[in-house]
Structure formats: structure tokens, C-alpha cells
Amino acid sequence: MIDQRILPGRFEIVVCRTHQDVIAAISNMTVRGAPAIGAAAAFGLALAGCCSMAKNLPTLRSELKTASAELFASRPTAVNLGWALQRMQTVVDAPCASASDLKEKLLAEAKQIAEEDVATNLRMANNGASLINDGDTIIHHCNTGALATVDWGTALGCIRMAHQQGKLVHVLVDETRPRLQGSRLTAWELGQWGIPYEIIPDGAAGYFLHRGDVQKVMFGADRVAANGDVANKIGSYMLALAAHANGVPVYSVFPSTTADLSLATGAEIPIEERDADEVLGITFHGEPVSPQGAKVRNPAFDVTPHELLTALVTDRGIVEPPFDINLPRVLRAV
Ligand code: MRU
């Protein structure tokens, strides 16, 4: 895996040799972004299979059950994690000839999940790029690019596709406190592709929206409820509020695997609260920015109510309101 904690300063690969290594990589955000977490978890279970010394199928299946539960607990909000593990489980449960046969099938399924993610993202990128006009300035939150998926990305994939189609796009990159996925990862990716950007402090988005400098707001999603409420990186809700108040369209871009139609509204989405260190560890000129011992609240995600969203961009098409009717309809039509 690319170590996303140290980009853009260093580009290093972390090697995971066991499923416990994968769990650590997901929890400490070596790998992050909903679809990337899903693919990583699938490879994690394949690794649990490869590492197992089990000689018979019942023993292997029982070890895989434990490993899957451990992987599932590594991060709570991105639904792709559970989706990928569920898909791996169907392979575990299917009839097969031997323990070694099952191990091979698990690896093949993980590879298939990764390959499908790239194709899905390309469809989403084409759908989303059709909404972007030549000359648009877009505010983007968090990191939703190739790093957050297997390739291309969600919201950033649409921007990349529009750029590749020859449209002039300019991106205002929310720095995305506290982990700074925007200034560290999105800015790095945009630089790789030669797309013009400027990093802005999260709190500056309202200023640019109010001035009329911005034509669109785009972000991804970590879990989407059946009514179109979107859980995404903390700060997405405030950004959508400011955009809505200024008449700027807001698009959430996500693959169908990020929708959780079992949840009626966003109120049911589990929101991860992360360690205080992520906030207290921020330094300025090498000095901590907070008093020692300060108390912290650090929710990693918030829920943007569907009323604030103009449309949802998926691999199956662009979904317009009313989302409670159109989202299940679009996602269930195969
Ligand atoms: O906590 P992270 O960095 O895993 O959060 C990721 C995001 O919020 C992204 O915007 C997201 O997963 C959606 S699109 C890939």
C-alpha cells in the first residue's frame, strides 16, 4: 500500500504480510478512503487465508470468520468495508474442493473487487465530468482521488476526467482538518495530473462561495442512506450549508457500493470519533497549537442532509431529487 500518512513529503510502500497488518493500516490511515478501505479489507481476508495453516475447510472457515470480524471492526463509517467483507464471505461459504482451493478463490475475489473498483470509478468519472463546464472553479473537500480508491477516485475522478476532456478546471482544495487529506493528498494528486489548484483553509470556503468565485462543490461519500443523506469527511456539512446559502450546486460522488439502503436516514450512520492526538498534534513553527491537556472532540465524519445536495453522482448514473425515490430506483436497476 502507498503510505498515505507521509505523502506528499515521501512516497513509500507499506507491505502487509498478515491480516493484522491490514487492520493496523486501515485504523491508522496508512490506507484511507471508502473504496480503498473496502479493497484493502478484501485483500486482508485473502491474506488471512494465505497465512492460515489450516489443513481442512472447517478449520479454515472458522479462522476466516474471526479474521473477517476483526477486519470489520477496523473503521466504522465507510460502508464499503462491510460490503467487501460480505462479498468475500460469499466465497468462503460457497462449495469448494479444499482449503488451498478456497485460499486461491479468496485471492481471486479480492483482485476482482479491486479491478471492478477501477471500472466503476471510470463510469462515475464520466458521469460527473458531464456536469462540469469549461472554466469552472470547484471547491473539493477531503481526498477522493486515486489514493482513496483503487484508481481514478470519486469526486476527484470527475474533475480529472473533465480536465482530460480538455475542460479548463480550477480547484479550490479544502485543507480538510485535522488530517489534512486535502492539502496533503488532493493537492499532490492534482499536481501529478497538472490540474491548477489553490489550497484554502476550510473556513475560507464560505468567503469564496459568497463572492461568486465558485461554480460547484464536489465531495465523495463514506456512507449514503436511502433518503440521500450523505456521511462524508467532517466539514462537508458546513461546506454544503454555505454552498446552499449562496445558490452553488453541491454534488456528492460515490459508487453504488457506498450506498447503504438498509438505513432510512443519515441519523442511523455510525460516526467514528478519532483520537485527540489528531487535533492536539497539529503544530505551527514546530510548536503545539493547543494548551497542554486541552480536551478535544474529533468526529471524523458528518452527515449532510439530502436537502442540501443538488444531485448524487454514481456509477449507475446521476441521481436527481427526490432521492428517497430515485436513489433506490437507480441503484436497484441493473
Ligand atoms: O477518514 P478518511 O480519510 O478515510 O475519509 C475519507 C473521505 O471522507 C473521503 O471523502 C471519502 O472516502 C469519500 S470518496 C473516496
Side-chain angles (χ1 to χ4, degrees):
M1 297 173 182
I2 297 169
D3 191 340
Q4 301 195 31
R5 298 166 304 173
I6 55 172
L7 276 171
R10 281 174 291 149
F11 184 100
E12 281 177 18
I13 301 295
V14 168
V15 179
C16 295
R17 296 182 194 284
T18 63
H19 81 278
Q20 284 93 350
D21 289 348
V22 176
I23 291 169
I26 294 174
S27 339
N28 69 25
M29 292 172 70
T30 301
V31 61
R32 45 144 300 283
I37 290 171
F43 279 104
L45 199 71
L47 259 182
C50 293
C51 294
S52 168
M53 307 297 276
K55 294 278 179 292
N56 60 58
L57 273 170
T59 314
L60 179 58
R61 285 193 170 114
S62 142
E63 286 179 16
L64 289 168
K65 191 176 171 198
T66 310
S68 182
E70 289 167 354
L71 282 158
F72 183 72
S74 57
R75 278 193 87 185
T77 303
V79 73
N80 305 61
L81 175 65
W83 169 84
L85 289 170
Q86 188 54 50
R87 197 162 136 176
M88 296 295 279
Q89 189 61 41
T90 57
V91 176
V92 174
D93 294 338
C96 75
S98 63
S100 62
D101 183 32
L102 177 52
K103 292 178 187 187
E104 274 171 35
K105 284 186 168 139
L106 285 171
L107 185 56
E109 187 70 3
K111 285 182 179 167
Q112 179 73 18
I113 287 173
E115 273 165 31
E116 282 175 21
D117 187 63
V118 182
T120 299
N121 290 343
L122 270 169
R123 284 198 295 277
M124 237 173 345
N126 276 305
N127 291 339
S130 71
L131 298 167
I132 298 173
N133 297 319
D134 194 26
D136 272 358
T137 292
I138 302 167
I139 296 186
H140 174 276
H141 194 67
C142 196
N143 172 263
T144 67
L147 290 166
T149 60
V150 180
D151 200 359
W152 275 89
T154 59
L156 212 56
C158 303
I159 293 170
R160 179 177 167 188
M161 183 60 82
H163 169 78
Q164 192 166 293
Q165 290 169 350
K167 293 176 190 168
L168 214 66
V169 278
H170 185 82
V171 186
L172 293 179
V173 177
D174 263 0
E175 57 177 358
T176 316
R177 295 235 159 188
R179 294 289 295 230
L180 302 169
Q181 289 96 328
S183 42
R184 294 192 303 105
L185 307 175
T186 298
W188 181 77
E189 285 197 43
L190 289 169
Q192 303 287 311
W193 306 326
I195 301 175
Y197 69 87
E198 290 162 303
I199 297 170
I200 59 169
D202 297 350
Y207 169 80
F208 289 111
L209 287 159
H210 189 63
R211 277 166 53 102
D213 292 347
V214 179
Q215 284 69 51
K216 274 155 198 107
V217 164
M218 284 187 147
F219 49 72
D222 289 82
R223 193 184 294 229
V224 181
N227 69 343
D229 291 351
V230 167
N232 193 55
K233 179 51 56 193
I234 193 75
S236 303
Y237 172 44
M238 287 210 313
L239 177 59
L241 273 174
H244 193 254
N246 288 285
V248 174
V250 183
Y251 301 104
S252 170
V253 186
F254 56 89
S256 39
T257 48
T258 298
D260 186 350
L261 299 182
S262 73
L263 306 184
T265 75
E268 296 171 58
I269 299 175
I271 300 293
E272 175 185 17
E273 286 226 22
R274 292 186 63 86
D275 213 89
D277 281 358
E278 291 187 346
V279 178
L280 296 179
I282 294 174
T283 56
F284 190 67
H285 295 315
E287 296 295 328
V289 295
S290 322
Q292 243 191 347
K295 290 207 166 78
V296 169
R297 291 295 302 273
N298 184 22
F301 302 94
D302 58 27
V303 175
T304 300
H306 61 275
E307 298 89 345
L308 300 178
L309 296 160
T310 310
L312 307 174
V313 179
T314 77
D315 50 309
R316 309 259 174 100
I318 297 168
V319 184
E320 309 267 355
F323 299 126
D324 57 341
I325 294 169
N326 290 339
L327 184 62
R329 186 180 55 77
V330 169
L331 296 189
R332 285 191 178 127
V334 183

